[in-house]
Amino acid sequence: MFEKIFDDTYIVANKNGKFPDSICTYFDDEVKTLIDTTMDTSFVNYFNDKKVDLIINSHFHKDHCGSNHLFPNAKIIAHPADIPAMQSFTTFCEYFGINDYCSEEEAAELFSWLDFHPSPIHNKIEDGDIIELGKTKLQVVHTPGHTPGHCTFFWEDKGVVFSGDIDLTDFGPWYGHIVSDVDQVINSIEKIMKINPEAIVSGHRGLITDNIQGELRNYLNKVYEKEEKILKALKNPLTLDELTHKKIIYGKWSEPTHFFYFFEKLSLLTHLERLQKLGLVSLENDLYVTK
């Protein structure tokens, strides 16, 4: 799919944008630019007759930078907090929490579909930077929580935020590894709400133009809904493993499903860290207990 959304601006996706696919944006401006590349390497075929001078990565996840290595003539830029995981498989695994929280079976399942290729990085982006593509000028908005270096991009002239994985899906925000932070996720969503964009281009839903503030509020409320479920479950003290099998984050998943178990567990850990900081939960003899 190569779909025009504004003059000389297109959303690009292999399928429908649903994970593990994603929706990228191409700017046919003076600097031919992509925001993100997909994990499916057939994505590069969309650009057989199109030049790509610049790739701006929203974050290090492979569904957003997985084809970077197939654009050897493009300059690639990203936030410094995510660059180490884009360039080193060892760091990538550390960011995911694979070394500390993943069994051999879980790791094997993850690696079976994560086709890691180191990404060249030519420059760094920081909060507030203006990326000039020609007519198009994008302001970098650092929105961490999903990952440490997750960024969104505000095109002020059009009132549009390219929101990456602040994606406004029904699932809600994702924060399923040890470098994720639920408080930062909340702050980042609120940061976009303050920008008050007229439209959002989501990394998994594409162009959204209706009820943007309502969409953002509903998305933020998913965090609090999951917290309420965790607190309810912990009325009877539980170990992390016992809480994981309650399937609060992902809902239904068949057992044994190592892939979902791992991300369920890491998502719960990030929630529990926040709830402990708030004084609502404590850890006593490997049991999480509500106060």
Side-chain angles (χ1 to χ4, degrees), residues 103-286:
S103 69
E104 290 184 8
E105 293 84 1
E106 291 159 3
E109 185 173 0
L110 285 169
F111 296 149
S112 70
W113 63 269
L114 282 175
D115 185 21
F116 183 87
H117 290 270
S119 174
I121 301 292
H122 302 94
N123 211 342
K124 301 173 182 178
I125 54 176
E126 299 282 0
D127 187 58
D129 285 355
I130 303 297
I131 305 170
E132 298 195 14
L133 311 182
K135 294 181 296 182
T136 309
K137 294 176 176 57
L138 302 176
Q139 180 183 348
V140 177
V141 183
H142 184 212
T143 46
H146 180 70
T147 70
H150 185 277
C151 288
T152 58
F153 308 96
F154 181 42
W155 188 2
E156 186 174 7
D157 287 350
K158 297 288 186 182
V160 179
V161 168
F162 300 89
S163 67
D165 265 355
I166 299 180
D167 55 24
L168 306 185
T169 56
D170 289 339
F171 178 82
W174 191 93
Y175 30 77
H177 40 228
I178 59 173
V179 295
S180 300
D181 186 296
V182 176
D183 283 318
Q184 288 183 347
V185 166
I186 293 168
N187 292 337
S188 291
I189 297 169
E190 290 176 344
K191 193 172 186 178
I192 294 177
M193 293 176 78
K194 288 177 182 176
I195 291 172
N196 194 25
E198 297 175 26
I200 282 180
V201 178
S202 154
H204 292 286
R205 281 183 58 189
L207 179 64
I208 303 167
T209 57
D210 295 332
N211 190 26
I212 299 301
Q213 287 293 327
E215 290 265 7
L216 287 162
R217 278 193 300 273
N218 291 338
Y219 190 68
L220 177 57
N221 284 338
K222 300 285 185 181
V223 176
Y224 300 126
E225 289 167 8
K226 287 168 184 172
E227 282 193 348
E228 287 299 318
K229 291 179 181 179
I230 292 168
L231 290 169
K232 184 177 179 180
L234 292 179
K235 287 182 177 179
N236 296 313
L238 297 171
T239 65
L240 178 59
D241 182 66
E242 290 169 338
L243 185 60
T244 300
H245 285 283
K246 296 288 185 182
K247 303 177 183 179
I248 290 168
I249 305 298
Y250 279 90
K252 297 178 180 179
W253 38 272
S254 301
E255 304 224 26
T257 305
H258 303 296
F259 180 88
F260 283 106
Y261 174 82
F262 173 68
F263 287 123
E264 179 88 20
K265 178 170 59 177
L266 269 292
S267 298
L268 287 168
L269 271 173
T270 58
H271 263 295
L272 290 166
E273 287 172 3
R274 167 177 154 80
L275 292 170
Q276 286 175 280
K277 285 189 291 185
L278 292 173
L280 298 174
V281 168
S282 62
L283 180 59
E284 302 171 9
N285 298 319
D286 294 326

Side-chain angles (χ1 to χ4, degrees), residues 52-65:
V52 177
D53 301 310
L54 176 68
I55 295 171
I56 310 168
N57 287 130
S58 61
H59 61 297
F60 79 86
H61 288 165
K62 301 314 292 180
D63 57 322
H64 292 266
C65 67

